[in-house]
């Protein structure tokens, strides 16, 4: 006899997304697809408020200037951030860095706060901000909702918040996309004298890669998005294995697969990073969504703007392979 979960997974595999990009008029499709995606994410539940920027400290490090600040993205909810500015570079391009499920954004900064942090950093190039500075970028670590400082627990604290969101028509992914867009507002208004706000880029691994892909699908002020170890067909990852609850968007498989997020991101630069041995986002499904998404770039003669980075290990970032692609695309 089948288990309930086996039966449900079979139903998912029988699902054909009714709004998947079909290779025809990209711009007309994007308008409808983005409207539907915003609806599925519950983006109509969010309202802009004054950011009430608060700079908590501004210090000089050995190779960078670090500014710690918070801003209000929704009424009474504040987002913590660290901005690192490389020394000797005027108005550098910016890379916004998103951790996956870890103890928090301090991992991007290469800082150890808790047991196991050092192994997390060293085992997968997860000190994103440190590498971005070395590559000549300004770097910004943003604390995603339900992670690090925004979480009641040290790690994996997304469940209660995500489930409660679903009761009121919101999603955790929608919250994370909203916070990143409001961050861009803050950067444009308050930091344009320090970073090149015409070259804002976004990267993340795992849960950070997921937020990167969804944000890239909806936010056209981004120039480049680099999603690592997060892109995979729903039937081979999110719908096939136990994942953190924040990955789930009600009804999304009725309309899209993850390749459609890449298509919605077109024509911005898109770098997909996937590990051959990733057991959470399997390589076969990763290749499929990349090929599906790249059809949009092919349709407008911009295939070179969407690239695939293959890592030979598992669920981690591959800095030495990915950063050369970023430079190539941006011409930096």
């Amino acid at each position: 006899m089948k288990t309930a979960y086996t039966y449900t997974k079979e139903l998912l595999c029988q699902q054909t997304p009714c709004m998947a990009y079909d290779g025809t008029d990209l711009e007309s499709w994007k308008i409808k697809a983005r409207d539907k995606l915003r609806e599925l994410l519950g983006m109509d539940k969010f309202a802009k408020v004054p950011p009430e920027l608060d700079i908590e400290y501004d210090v000089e490090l050995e190779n960078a200037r670090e500014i710690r600040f918070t801003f209000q993205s929704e009424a009474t909810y504040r987002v913590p951030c660290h901005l690192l500015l490389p020394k000797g570079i005027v108005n550098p391009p910016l890379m916004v860095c998103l951790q996956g499920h870890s103890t928090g954004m301090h991992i991007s900064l290469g800082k150890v706060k808790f047991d196991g942090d050092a192994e997390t950093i060293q085992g997968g190039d997860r000190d994103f901000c440190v590498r971005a500075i070395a590559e000549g970028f300004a770097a910004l670590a943003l604390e995603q909702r339900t992670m690090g400082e925004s979480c009641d627990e040290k790690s994996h604290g997304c469940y209660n918040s995500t489930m409660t969101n679903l009761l009121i028509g919101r999603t955790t992914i929608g919250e994370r996309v909203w916070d990143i867009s409001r961050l861009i507002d803050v950067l444009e208004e308050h930091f344009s004298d320090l970073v090149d706000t015409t070259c804002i880029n976004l990267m993340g691994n795992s849960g950070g890669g997921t937020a990167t892909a969804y944000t890239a699908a909806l936010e056209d002020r981004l120039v480049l998005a680099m999603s690592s170890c997060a892109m995979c067909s729903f039937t081979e990852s999110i719908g096939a294995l136990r994942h953190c609850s924040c990955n789930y968007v009600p009804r999304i498989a009725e309309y899209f697969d993850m390749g459609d997020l890449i298509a919605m991101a077109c024509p911005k630069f898109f770098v997909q990073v996937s590990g051959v041995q990733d057991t959470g986002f399997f390589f076969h499904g990763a290749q499929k969504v990349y090929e599906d998404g790249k059809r949009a770039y092919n349709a407008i003669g911009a295939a070179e703007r969407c690239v695939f980075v293959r890592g030979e290990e598992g669920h981690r970032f591959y800095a030495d392979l990915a950063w050369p692609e970023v430079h190539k695309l941006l011409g930096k």
Side-chain angles (χ1 to χ4, degrees):
M1 187 174 73
K2 294 177 182 177
T3 65
Y5 186 32
T6 297
Y7 180 69
T8 306
K9 287 193 288 185
E10 289 177 355
L11 292 179
L12 173 65
C13 290
Q14 296 165 15
Q15 183 77 55
T16 300
C18 66
M19 288 187 69
Y21 178 60
D22 61 4
T24 56
D25 184 353
L26 177 61
E27 289 306 313
S28 295
W29 173 82
K30 276 175 61 176
I31 292 170
K32 297 176 182 177
R34 285 176 159 187
D35 284 346
K36 175 56 70 173
L37 182 60
R38 291 188 185 97
E39 175 189 328
L40 294 170
L41 294 177
M43 303 301 291
D44 60 322
K45 304 294 183 180
F46 302 97
K48 285 189 178 184
V49 295
E52 297 181 0
L53 177 69
D54 179 25
I55 295 179
E56 297 182 0
Y57 62 76
D58 185 341
V59 298
E60 295 293 331
L61 306 177
E62 182 179 350
N63 64 340
R65 173 183 173 190
E66 179 179 3
I67 302 172
R68 157 80 185 208
F69 67 91
T70 68
F71 69 92
Q72 181 179 240
S73 66
E74 291 188 87
T76 75
Y77 181 78
R78 300 193 67 81
V79 182
C81 301
H82 287 255
L83 173 62
L84 299 182
L85 301 167
K87 292 186 176 179
I89 303 177
V90 177
N91 271 79
L94 175 69
M95 183 65 77
V96 178
C97 304
L98 306 176
Q99 280 299 318
H101 283 88
S102 65
T103 53
M105 65 176 170
H106 58 277
I107 299 294
S108 289
L109 301 170
K111 296 180 179 179
V112 174
K113 284 188 177 182
F114 304 104
D115 291 343
D117 282 353
E119 291 77 9
T120 297
I121 294 167
Q122 296 163 6
D125 295 337
R126 292 183 175 90
D127 51 350
F128 304 144
C129 289
V130 175
R131 183 61 179 257
I133 290 293
E135 298 289 342
F137 282 67
L140 190 145
L142 174 144
E143 196 76 277
Q144 293 199 83
R145 302 254 189 144
T146 77
M147 298 186 189
E149 295 179 36
S150 77
C151 179
D152 295 331
E153 305 168 22
K154 187 175 72 173
S155 183
H156 292 273
C158 60
Y159 181 82
N160 289 343
S161 182
T162 296
M163 293 298 106
T164 304
N165 263 329
L166 298 184
L167 295 176
I168 55 176
R170 293 164 57 110
T171 64
T172 299
I173 289 177
E175 290 179 330
R176 292 172 181 170
V177 171
W178 179 263
D179 289 349
I180 295 163
S181 288
R182 301 291 67 77
L183 168 68
I184 296 174
D185 293 343
V186 170
L187 291 168
E188 290 179 334
E189 181 177 356
H190 297 284
F191 294 99
S192 61
D193 60 330
L194 298 178
V195 301
D196 183 356
T197 53
T198 69
C199 192
I200 298 174
N201 311 284
L202 180 66
M203 68 171 289
N205 186 71
S206 192
T210 299
T212 295
Y214 278 94
T215 306
L218 296 175
E219 178 54 78
D220 283 335
R221 289 176 293 177
L222 293 175
V223 174
L224 176 146
M226 180 159 56
S227 174
S228 173
C229 292
M231 305 301 292
C232 189
S233 60
F234 291 138
T235 56
E236 294 186 61
S237 181
I238 302 301
L241 305 166
R242 180 173 178 172
H243 278 273
C244 291
S245 57
C246 60
N247 287 286
Y248 296 85
V249 176
R251 301 187 64 188
I252 193 168
E254 291 184 49
Y255 299 95
F256 307 113
D257 206 338
M258 289 202 83
D260 296 307
L261 301 179
I262 301 175
M264 283 183 238
C266 182
K268 63 175 63 70
F269 298 123
F270 196 95
V271 181
Q272 178 178 329
V273 182
S274 297
V276 173
Q277 300 177 50
D278 193 334
T279 57
F281 297 86
F282 292 107
F283 195 71
H284 177 269
Q287 286 181 309
K288 181 182 185 303
V289 299
Y290 171 73
E291 291 164 2
D292 289 347
K294 189 163 183 174
R295 288 192 304 156
Y297 287 81
N298 294 338
I300 62 169
E304 73 284 353
R305 298 177 72 90
C306 183
V307 301
F308 187 87
V309 174
R310 171 189 172 121
E312 296 302 323
E313 299 178 33
H315 193 71
R316 53 161 295 174
F317 185 54
Y318 298 87
D320 290 342
L321 299 177
W323 271 103
E325 298 297 335
V326 171
H327 288 293
K328 188 185 305 180
L329 290 170
L330 294 179
K332 299 294 182 182

